[in-house]
Amino acid sequence: MVSVNNLSLYFGGQDIFKDISFMVNKGDRIGLTGKNGAGKSTLLKVLAKELTPNNGNISVPNGIIVGFLRQDLEFEDGRTVLEEAQTAFEFLNDVELRMNEANKQLTERTDYESDEYLEVINEFNELEERFRMAGGNDTAAEISQVLNGLGFTQYDFERQTTEFSGGWRMRIELAKILLMKPDLLLLDEPTNHLDIESIMWLEKWLKNYSGAVVLVSHDRFFLDASTNRTIEVAFSKINDYKASYTKYLTLREDRVVKQIQAKKNQDKFIEETKVLINKFRAKKNKASFAQSLIKKLEKLEIINVEQEDTARMKFRFPPAPHSGKMSLEVKNSCKSYGDLQVLDDVNLEVVRGDKIAFVGKNGEGKSTLAKMIVKEIDFTGEITLGHQVKMGYYAQNQAEFLDENLTVLETIEQAATEDTAGKVRSILGSFLFSNDEVEKKVKVLSGGERARVALCKLLLEPYNLLIMDEPTNHLDITSKGLLKKALENYDGSLILVSHDREFLQELTQKVYEFKNQNIKEYIGDIDTFLSEKDLENFKQLESSQKDQKNTKEDKTKEQLTYADKKNQQKKIKKLQNRISKLEKEIATLEQSQKAIDTDLANPKKFKELSQKDGFFDEYEKNRQKLQDLEGEWELAAEALERIK
């Protein structure tokens, strides 16, 4: 379908791609992988012929329709959502326009017996047949299916596109591209602005799609569900694997191991050959033999081990300053936009050290509550920060607030404090900006690189309450893992808005589900939440709420099916395991605290311990952790009792 031949591309003397070649065949589902700034989005632009390579060529058959979802789109105003979606059917719209003109002539003309009238009839019939064969009568249903799948309601169809945020307008563009049914679909991070329900719908749509797909995504679950081939972009080269992302990781590791072994064997051969050359080159009767060995080495194709892309972000959040026990309190808070009520009578408490996830369908108020907490928008009710709480905020579109005309270094220098001013280059280095890279203008950075700069700014000051709204958007898979590790080690309070299930796993201790203008608390991480909701994934959570409400009222214990009983046993076992784990943790912590209490009762040891920096803070933290574990144990025990 598409052939890339010896393609090279460079900007300002820096190679982006060097002599790369590959084919895109019908039915291919290709995931592009590589670190931020490796050239993934650039490769999509080259395939879409928005960028011209310096060398090589791209061969695309005539008549191939290409649909390209970019990260940076320019939107047109003046249409409703439905009207915008209808622009995807350019050919059908043209046929329909000509049909309407022919029909108008037939109603206005009275020369029924003339040849011209008969020609208009024939033209109308031909156009109508063409319209029908091309699926013109099905466009309304297709538009409705795609828009609903991407989260729009029937009410939204008649709203002006200008009423929607940038993320929702990206969804409209995605809908238009899907409705075009192109032969080649190029998608640059399509899941960034989708909630889980829409992501799952897109996965299903792609499975039934007959064309070829090349996509960039940093969502491992989405890559595994939507791709059958992985092209790795690294160091201006590509490596092509006939496998989805998780399998690619294993194949890549095997490939590098074999290359290392082959390289060792070749190095040994070269060393031995050089010894022979030095031995015989001075002897007259062996000089010709030595020359033949030299020529043999010159012709030898040197094996280069694929240098593993090991550049990694290395960072930790600064230790959280000491604060009161209560970090945040939200009381009877409400938010509406005109007649649209988003949140109604919301109550929430965040205790020092809490790590909380906000989940739910887009539009249910997750980001809205985050903005209310940081006082970015007006609201009714009361939101209070605890004693000495210092709050840091990472907005969903944080990277958009960067000054594009500043360099990376200037951006961080302007945000640096007295304590961090002398460490700016070191901090930037930990975010993979070193040497000349710090002199890059923000406007030339990729989406992932901008996200790293925005994260870097957040680390310049210590906070004891972090609020992060979709921080993984645009970050590559490795960077996401490192951010997760940093948040796991962060000792302050955390509120995290995210649709990335893998990122949320084992990161938070509480989950708040946003639904019906309010929130509901669940103790545990995201997997515990899904298990408690008796769901396999977020899609079931977001799409089956009505069904659950209706069936729960009718179902009794006597009517439990085999599947229900099996599910119940599964829940019981999971809770029993959780209770057992909690009991062990409580016993270990109690023993540790008891030993410390014994030491504190001894005046000599009390004096030694009290002189240690941070001892009492650590003691208080462990005491609080013990209380939290005991509270969690009680809830789990009650849940087990209810199920039994």
Side-chain angles (χ1 to χ4, degrees):
M1 182 181 282
V2 177
S3 176
V4 177
N5 306 300
N6 301 316
L7 184 144
S8 294
L9 178 71
Y10 50 83
F11 295 134
Q14 181 182 358
D15 285 326
I16 308 300
F17 304 112
K18 190 174 182 180
D19 296 325
I20 65 170
S21 299
F22 63 95
M23 293 274 294
V24 180
N25 305 302
K26 188 173 181 180
D28 275 347
R29 303 284 190 273
I30 300 172
L32 297 181
T33 187
K35 72 169 188 175
N36 291 137
K40 303 184 296 293
S41 296
T42 302
L43 185 53
L44 288 184
K45 290 177 181 177
V46 171
L47 290 173
K49 297 201 169 178
E50 290 191 358
L51 283 177
T52 305
N54 298 99
N55 296 301
N57 64 81
I58 298 176
S59 177
V60 181
N62 291 332
I64 288 287
I65 300 173
V66 178
F68 181 25
L69 180 72
R70 305 164 188 78
Q71 282 189 41
D72 46 349
L73 286 169
E74 292 184 5
F75 304 112
E76 289 186 23
D77 299 336
R79 297 191 187 106
T80 65
V81 172
L82 182 59
E83 288 168 345
E84 193 67 38
Q86 286 169 337
T87 62
F89 301 100
E90 188 176 347
F91 168 73
L92 287 171
N93 292 339
D94 180 59
V95 173
E96 188 173 24
L97 182 64
R98 289 163 62 193
M99 275 174 57
N100 292 337
E101 289 173 355
N103 189 49
K104 185 180 179 183
Q105 287 189 54
L106 291 175
T107 56
E108 291 177 352
R109 294 179 67 143
T110 57
D111 54 335
Y112 308 121
E113 304 298 328
S114 68
D115 292 340
E116 290 82 0
Y117 192 85
L118 291 174
E119 285 176 9
V120 176
I121 291 176
N122 289 334
E123 182 187 6
F124 179 81
N125 289 336
E126 286 176 11
L127 289 168
E128 189 177 42
E129 178 67 10
R130 198 183 303 173
F131 186 78
R132 186 181 63 80
M133 292 298 290
N137 296 323
D138 302 323
T139 56
E142 288 181 27
I143 289 172
S144 182
Q145 180 191 21
V146 171
L147 288 177
N148 287 333
L150 291 175
F152 293 93
T153 64
Q154 291 293 133
Y155 165 74
D156 292 329
F157 288 10
E158 299 304 324
R159 292 171 63 191
Q160 289 288 318
T161 57
T162 49
E163 296 179 36
F164 292 87
S165 66
W168 280 94
R169 295 191 76 171
M170 288 287 276
R171 291 192 191 207
I172 298 171
E173 294 302 314
L174 176 57
K176 286 162 60 178
I177 291 167
L178 300 184
L179 288 167
M180 281 169 54
K181 297 177 184 172
D183 303 291
L184 174 61
L185 192 55
L186 308 174
L187 301 174
D188 196 354
E189 299 195 33
T191 63
N192 273 358
H193 301 285
L194 302 181
D195 52 40
I196 295 298
E197 180 181 4
S198 301
I199 291 173
M200 299 295 287
W201 178 89
L202 181 58
E203 286 175 5
K204 186 177 178 182
W205 191 95
L206 289 173
K207 282 178 183 175
N208 297 322
Y209 171 60
S210 60
V213 181
V214 183
L215 64 88
V216 175
S217 177
H218 300 133
D219 184 330
R220 184 180 294 197
F221 288 177
F222 181 72
L223 282 171
D224 279 337
S226 306
T227 62
N228 55 21
R229 184 175 161 196
T230 301
I231 292 181
E232 176 190 52
V233 183
F235 304 105
S236 309
K237 296 288 186 181
I238 65 164
N239 295 304
D240 198 345
Y241 297 84
K242 304 295 188 289
S244 59
Y245 184 79
T246 299
K247 185 82 180 292
Y248 139 77
L249 292 175
T250 305
L251 292 173
R252 187 190 190 288
E253 191 176 341
D254 291 343
R255 181 174 177 174
V256 172
V257 167
K258 288 173 183 174
Q259 282 184 336
I260 291 170
Q261 187 57 51
K263 177 68 173 170
K264 282 181 181 177
N265 293 337
Q266 189 182 69
D267 288 345
K268 185 179 178 182
F269 168 77
I270 292 171
E271 191 61 36
E272 290 172 349
T273 304
K274 284 180 177 178
V275 170
L276 289 173
I277 291 169
N278 292 331
K279 183 178 179 181
F280 295 123
R281 74 194 316 167
K283 296 180 180 179
K284 284 185 179 181
N285 60 337
K286 296 289 186 179
S288 60
F289 176 61
Q291 285 301 314
S292 68
L293 290 177
I294 292 170
K295 288 179 181 178
K296 193 173 182 180
L297 281 186
E298 288 173 349
K299 291 179 181 178
L300 190 66
E301 188 175 340
I302 301 298
I303 296 171
N304 291 311
V305 177
E306 288 173 14
Q307 183 183 358
E308 188 173 0
D309 196 355
T310 54
R312 298 290 184 260
M313 287 196 299
K314 299 172 185 175
F315 69 92
R316 293 178 64 92
F317 285 96
H322 184 70
S323 65
K325 183 178 178 181
M326 188 65 67
S327 294
L328 173 72
E329 194 169 8
V330 179
K331 284 185 179 180
N332 310 118
S333 295
C334 308
K335 178 61 184 175
S336 61
Y337 295 95
D339 296 331
L340 178 63
Q341 186 79 35
V342 180
L343 294 170
D344 185 27
D345 198 28
V346 172
N347 293 279
L348 169 70
E349 286 185 352
V350 179
V351 176
R352 186 180 61 228
D354 273 352
K355 290 183 179 176
I356 293 169
F358 285 178
V359 303
K361 195 172 180 179
N362 279 1
E364 290 287 348
K366 304 185 297 295
S367 296
T368 299
L369 183 54
K371 290 175 183 176
M372 288 162 59
I373 292 169
V374 299
K375 305 291 170 63
E376 190 175 294
I377 56 175
D378 295 329
F379 60 92
T380 59
E382 187 180 343
I383 296 180
T384 310
L385 291 180
H387 180 61
Q388 291 188 332
V389 168
K390 189 176 181 183
M391 182 167 54
Y393 176 49
Y394 185 95
Q396 188 172 150
N397 58 340
Q398 189 74 35
E400 294 176 15
F401 298 130
L402 301 175
D403 187 336
E404 293 196 335
N405 295 313
L406 294 179
T407 65
V408 172
L409 182 60
E410 288 168 344
T411 300
I412 302 305
E413 281 179 338
Q414 284 190 7
T417 63
E418 286 184 14
D419 294 332
T420 56
K423 307 173 187 174
V424 166
R425 283 187 176 270
S426 174
I427 294 169
L428 281 170
S430 71
F431 279 82
L432 311 186
F433 294 107
S434 55
N435 302 324
D436 293 341
E437 289 181 328
V438 300
E439 301 300 337
K440 281 183 178 179
K441 295 273 190 184
V442 169
K443 61 186 173 187
V444 303
L445 300 179
S446 70
E449 288 171 321
R450 291 188 187 206
R452 293 209 309 266
V453 174
L455 274 173
C456 185
K457 286 183 69 176
L458 195 66
L459 263 71
L460 293 174
E461 292 187 55
Y463 300 104
N464 43 33
L465 172 60
L466 274 181
I467 299 174
M468 306 188 81
D469 192 354
E470 302 289 3
T472 61
N473 279 359
H474 303 296
L475 287 182
D476 60 51
I477 291 171
T478 301
S479 299
K480 282 202 307 185
L482 289 161
L483 173 60
K484 180 175 179 177
K485 189 173 181 181
L487 289 174
E488 285 172 345
N489 294 324
Y490 173 60
D491 58 348
S493 305
L494 173 67
I495 295 176
L496 190 60
V497 182
S498 179
H499 64 258
D500 191 326
R501 178 178 170 179
E502 184 191 22
F503 185 73
L504 290 173
Q505 283 175 330
E506 299 181 358
L507 180 55
T508 59
Q509 302 113 6
K510 291 180 187 176
V511 173
Y512 283 91
E513 178 193 4
F514 282 64
K515 184 176 68 172
N516 300 330
Q517 302 170 5
N518 214 292
I519 60 176
K520 184 177 180 182
E521 181 187 72
Y522 294 83
I523 302 297
D525 75 345
I526 204 68
D527 286 340
T528 307
F529 161 69
L530 293 174
S531 174
E532 195 167 332
K533 294 287 292 183
D534 194 21
L535 304 165
E536 292 181 358
N537 52 51
F538 277 106
K539 185 181 178 183
Q540 286 173 296
L541 161 65
E542 295 166 359
S543 65
S544 65
Q545 288 168 350
K546 276 187 183 175
D547 294 338
Q548 286 181 349
K549 188 177 178 181
N550 294 334
T551 55
K552 278 182 182 176
E553 292 174 355
D554 299 333
K555 189 181 281 188
T556 63
K557 289 181 181 179
E558 291 75 26
Q559 292 173 318
L560 287 177
T561 63
Y562 171 77
D564 293 323
K565 288 177 182 176
K566 193 174 179 182
N567 230 349
Q568 190 182 54
Q569 290 303 316
K570 211 174 181 180
K571 282 184 180 179
I572 289 172
K573 191 170 182 181
K574 189 157 188 174
L575 279 169
Q576 286 173 336
N577 290 340
R578 181 64 184 147
I579 288 169
S580 177
K581 186 179 177 183
L582 284 167
E583 286 173 347
K584 287 177 184 177
E585 289 179 11
I586 289 168
T588 302
L589 202 55
E590 279 180 338
Q591 193 173 354
S592 172
Q593 291 292 89
K594 191 175 180 181
I596 294 171
D597 288 337
T598 303
D599 287 341
L600 290 174
N602 184 318
K604 186 178 178 181
K605 288 192 175 182
F606 176 87
K607 187 177 180 181
E608 290 174 2
L609 292 171
S610 63
Q611 289 174 348
K612 285 186 178 179
D613 287 339
F615 169 77
F616 287 105
D617 286 345
E618 187 64 25
Y619 180 81
E620 175 62 20
K621 187 177 177 181
N622 285 335
R623 192 185 65 78
Q624 183 60 49
K625 186 179 179 182
L626 183 60
Q627 286 183 4
D628 292 342
L629 287 171
E630 287 171 344
E632 193 175 343
W633 179 89
E634 287 176 8
L635 289 170
E638 287 172 8
L640 180 62
E641 199 61 37
R642 282 198 303 271
I643 292 174
K644 284 184 174 181

